[in-house]
Amino acid sequence: DVTRGAPVSHYRLFPKALGQLVAARGVRELHLALTQGFWRTRIWGQPPLQAPAGAELWVWFQDTVADVDKAWKELSNILSGIFCASLNFIDSTNSVTPTASFKPLGLANGTDHRLLRYAVLPREVVCTENLTPWKKLLPCGSKAGLAVLLKAERLFHSSYHSQAVHIRPICRDASCRAVSWELRQTLTVVFENFSGTQGKKGELALLRHGLHVPELAPPGLMLTLSPADWSLFKMFSRTITEACPLASQSKIYVDLSVKDKEKELLEVSPSPTSLHEAVVQGEKRTYAVYDLLSPSLFNTSRSLNVQLKMTWPQDSLELSTPVLHAHRYVSGYGLQTGKISTLIYNTHPYRAFPVILLETVPWYLRLYVHTLTIITKGKENKPSYIHYQPAQDRRRPHLLEMLIQLPANSVTKITIQFERALLKWTEYPPDPNHGFYVSSSVLSALVPSVIAMKEVDMEQSPLFTSLFPSSDGSSYFVRLYTEPLLVNLPTPDFSMPYNVICLTCTVVAVCYGSFYNLLTRTLHVEEPSKGGLAKRLANVIRKLRGVPPL
């Protein structure tokens, strides 16, 4: 039973480094995401697997773990070494224990929130040294299969890049008599080509590479197209030559849907192996499927380069506005007080639904909870559930969770005021004038779907049901993240200590040098020298005359 901390023994596909870590630290679920950039919901549509900017880590521990905080600290340090990230900076000042958000995604015997830890490092910069260990976790690495496309210089020359690792316990069969660990690696990338200086949107592609061990859905690559001539070689500077020999299934899904035209599809070449229809996040989409294990796919050529030439007008290919999206900003003037405002949009024409809002604010921003206001359509909106854990200076951050009902076709504004604290001069980062980051807010909701998904479709679409879980077909789960905030704090003039040090050193050197010179110098008394020949002659004459000598 893997949920009780049994060791992982299947290392043919499962990485041994992660398997030993899960067993040794009593981990029940682990979710790690490293993201560069921010997902622009209004332009790019509903995010597939959104993550906040920087590094995000949330873990469920086994109930057999005696000291969760100690295990959390050790786990973050080990993951920091595995993925070459700054996860070792996770401590009590940026870790929280949510009570309503981040429920287990796999099998769970209980939901004791005391076994959950969540932390975000918004300043973390994702680069090549983070991608390389992520690719090494794949069975074939970057030598074959879909991972051949993962060229670092192309992936990081993008508008959005997010790589994640998810580990959870799952059932091997429908009866759930045996339980296994599932490792899912996802990579989401947004490419945008801009023509001229107008900032015109060129192309958008989402890459998701999933590894499921041992019996779940196959790895897959899903591409969402936008108005531009598009090809795999144009985006990744590479083509696919073969499937991973260890993969039981390896497929590429290309979204051919056209806005408001269900019967019209985009044309791609070469011809796909098959077409697949699925309801993804409340919208019906048609995908061209390329099965890399199909012998006929590589008969005509040695490589696969999926291409698309645009024949539709740009307006028909724009993505629809998501039902749920949010915006967050900080307002106020001066360096004493301020206000955090969050706007939550529900664009569904006739359905209302609740949403869980999670706010994590650092301790140096002292929240005034009595100023919390929630306004919807000009009226006060009282939350159904609220949990607030105040911060402690230099020990833990603020934690605010609320369950808010969003009426149909509405905008809900949430505001709360704060006061900036004064830090010690040793607590400032090397670039204090850049500002201090506040991690993103987290929105969790079951969004109602206009098009219901049948159970038969869910069974035939294992990739989509794993990436986009649906409760009963009439709604789908969405977790959104707002923008991280950049707040300025009262910052001392760090050039002044330098001037003081220089002046003090000069004064000390002059004074000390003078005293040292006086204390260490040796003084000699010189006797008056005798006179010369003229003086001696004068004294002889004065003696003869009886006059006292000179």
Side-chain angles (χ1 to χ4, degrees):
D1 185 3
V2 299
T3 60
R4 288 294 176 181
V8 181
S9 57
H10 188 340
Y11 291 123
R12 181 173 177 266
L13 299 176
F14 203 99
K16 192 173 183 179
L18 296 181
Q20 293 178 343
L21 176 63
V22 167
R25 302 302 165 188
V27 175
R28 186 171 64 185
E29 279 195 24
L30 186 148
H31 304 271
L32 171 64
L34 300 174
T35 306
Q36 187 72 23
F38 176 73
W39 184 274
R40 304 181 183 277
T41 308
R42 294 189 175 183
I43 301 177
W44 301 336
Q46 190 72 40
L49 295 171
Q50 190 184 6
E56 181 197 38
L57 177 64
W58 59 284
V59 179
W60 279 92
F61 290 93
Q62 304 283 352
D63 52 7
T64 56
V65 177
D67 191 347
V68 177
D69 292 330
K70 181 180 178 181
W72 168 251
K73 182 62 177 178
E74 294 175 350
L75 177 66
S76 60
N77 290 334
I78 297 175
L79 291 175
S80 177
I82 294 177
F83 293 97
C84 298
S86 302
L87 300 177
N88 55 304
F89 286 97
I90 294 179
D91 53 17
S92 61
T93 61
N94 48 33
S95 301
V96 295
T97 303
T99 60
S101 304
F102 296 100
K103 295 302 181 182
L105 300 181
L107 296 178
N109 297 329
T111 56
D112 187 359
H113 66 272
R114 291 174 296 180
L115 303 175
L116 169 65
R117 292 295 182 272
Y118 172 77
V120 176
L121 299 176
R123 290 179 61 95
E124 180 70 13
V125 178
V126 184
C127 199
T128 309
E129 63 266 17
N130 308 119
L131 179 64
T132 301
W134 185 90
K135 291 193 295 185
K136 289 182 179 179
L137 299 178
L138 299 172
C140 295
S142 57
K143 305 299 181 181
L146 305 177
V148 175
L149 302 175
L150 307 183
K151 192 177 181 180
E153 52 266 32
R154 296 295 297 170
L155 294 180
F156 290 103
H157 190 66
S158 58
S159 301
Y160 179 86
H161 173 272
S162 178
Q163 60 188 56
V165 173
H166 306 276
I167 300 177
R168 63 174 182 173
I170 51 94
C171 295
R172 294 187 184 180
D173 49 20
S175 59
C176 203
R177 296 179 180 178
V179 182
S180 299
W181 289 108
E182 178 201 57
L183 170 62
R184 185 174 67 195
Q185 293 181 244
T186 62
L187 180 64
T188 305
V189 185
V190 176
F191 294 96
E192 278 191 314
N193 288 341
F194 298 94
S195 57
T197 58
Q198 302 297 324
K200 184 179 179 182
K201 182 180 174 184
E203 60 183 89
L204 169 65
L206 311 176
L207 170 64
R208 305 191 191 102
H209 191 117
L211 168 65
H212 302 265
V213 181
E215 288 93 2
L216 272 194
L221 170 67
M222 189 169 72
L223 301 168
T224 301
L225 311 180
S226 70
D229 292 341
W230 173 92
S231 67
L232 286 179
F233 185 79
K234 183 177 180 180
M235 285 196 303
F236 302 105
S237 299
R238 292 181 179 179
T239 57
I240 299 178
T241 56
E242 61 176 344
C244 176
L246 298 177
S248 58
Q249 296 187 41
S250 184
K251 298 180 181 180
I252 297 178
Y253 295 82
V254 182
D255 190 357
L256 305 179
S257 305
V258 180
K259 183 180 179 182
D260 299 331
K261 297 181 180 180
E262 296 184 1
K263 297 183 180 180
E264 303 291 343
L265 299 177
L266 301 176
E267 296 182 0
V268 293
S269 62
S271 300
T273 308
S274 61
L275 294 178
H276 177 76
E277 293 185 356
V279 179
V280 179
Q281 295 179 335
E283 297 181 357
K284 187 176 181 180
R285 295 186 176 275
T286 303
Y287 294 90
V289 182
Y290 293 88
D291 189 356
L292 300 184
L293 298 180
S294 177
S296 60
L297 191 61
F298 296 99
N299 285 343
T300 57
S301 62
R302 296 182 179 181
S303 63
L304 175 63
N305 182 27
V306 182
Q307 300 180 8
L308 178 142
K309 188 175 181 62
M310 290 308 307
T311 56
W312 290 88
Q314 180 177 350
D315 296 339
S316 62
L317 295 177
E318 292 182 355
L319 300 176
S320 58
T321 304
V323 176
L324 176 64
H325 58 279
H327 175 55
R328 186 172 178 232
Y329 59 93
V330 61
S331 59
Y333 58 90
L335 294 176
Q336 183 177 1
T337 60
K339 181 191 295 185
I340 297 177
S341 302
T342 305
L343 300 177
I344 305 177
Y345 297 85
N346 176 15
T347 60
H348 201 285
Y350 55 87
R351 287 286 298 275
F353 56 89
V355 61
I356 298 177
L357 174 65
L358 171 66
E359 289 272 6
T360 304
V361 182
W363 62 268
Y364 44 77
L365 299 182
R366 294 167 179 167
L367 297 180
Y368 294 149
V369 185
H370 68 280
T371 63
L372 176 64
T373 59
I374 305 175
I375 304 298
T376 304
K377 294 184 177 181
K379 297 181 181 180
E380 182 181 2
N381 188 349
K382 293 184 178 181
S384 305
Y385 169 81
I386 184 170
H387 169 73
Y388 174 67
Q389 177 180 288
Q392 294 181 1
D393 288 356
R394 300 171 181 85
R395 292 187 60 186
R396 70 183 185 190
H398 300 270
L399 174 62
L400 178 62
E401 286 184 286
M402 296 181 293
L403 180 61
I404 305 172
Q405 188 74 15
L406 302 181
N409 197 17
S410 65
V411 180
T412 302
K413 184 176 182 180
I414 305 170
T415 60
I416 188 170
Q417 298 180 11
F418 65 88
E419 180 182 3
R420 296 171 171 89
L422 294 175
L423 302 180
K424 299 179 181 179
W425 72 275
T426 55
E427 295 175 341
Y428 286 91
D431 52 347
N433 292 306
H434 178 73
F436 292 77
Y437 283 93
V438 180
S439 59
S440 305
S441 300
V442 186
L443 299 174
S444 304
L446 282 176
V447 179
S449 176
V450 179
I451 303 176
M453 187 175 184
K454 300 179 182 179
E455 186 176 357
V456 178
D457 298 334
M458 297 173 63
E459 294 177 355
Q460 295 177 354
S461 307
L463 175 64
F464 297 100
T465 54
S466 179
L467 293 176
F468 310 101
S470 178
S471 59
D472 54 357
S474 62
S475 61
Y476 56 95
F477 177 76
V478 171
R479 179 178 289 126
L480 298 178
Y481 296 87
T482 62
E483 304 91 335
L485 300 179
L486 187 61
V487 181
N488 290 323
L489 294 183
T491 305
D493 184 6
F494 284 100
S495 64
M496 205 56 207
Y498 173 76
N499 299 333
V500 171
I501 291 173
C502 293
L503 179 61
T504 304
C505 291
T506 304
V507 173
V508 169
V510 172
C511 297
Y512 179 75
S514 301
F515 280 106
Y516 183 81
N517 190 21
L518 293 175
L519 294 175
T520 59
R521 177 180 295 177
T522 303
L523 300 178
H524 300 279
V525 179
E526 294 184 358
E527 297 181 357
S529 59
K530 298 180 179 181
L533 178 60
K535 185 177 181 179
R536 290 198 297 270
L537 292 175
N539 288 335
V540 170
I541 295 172
R542 290 174 68 87
K543 186 177 181 181
L544 294 175
R545 295 176 60 185
V547 181
L550 296 175

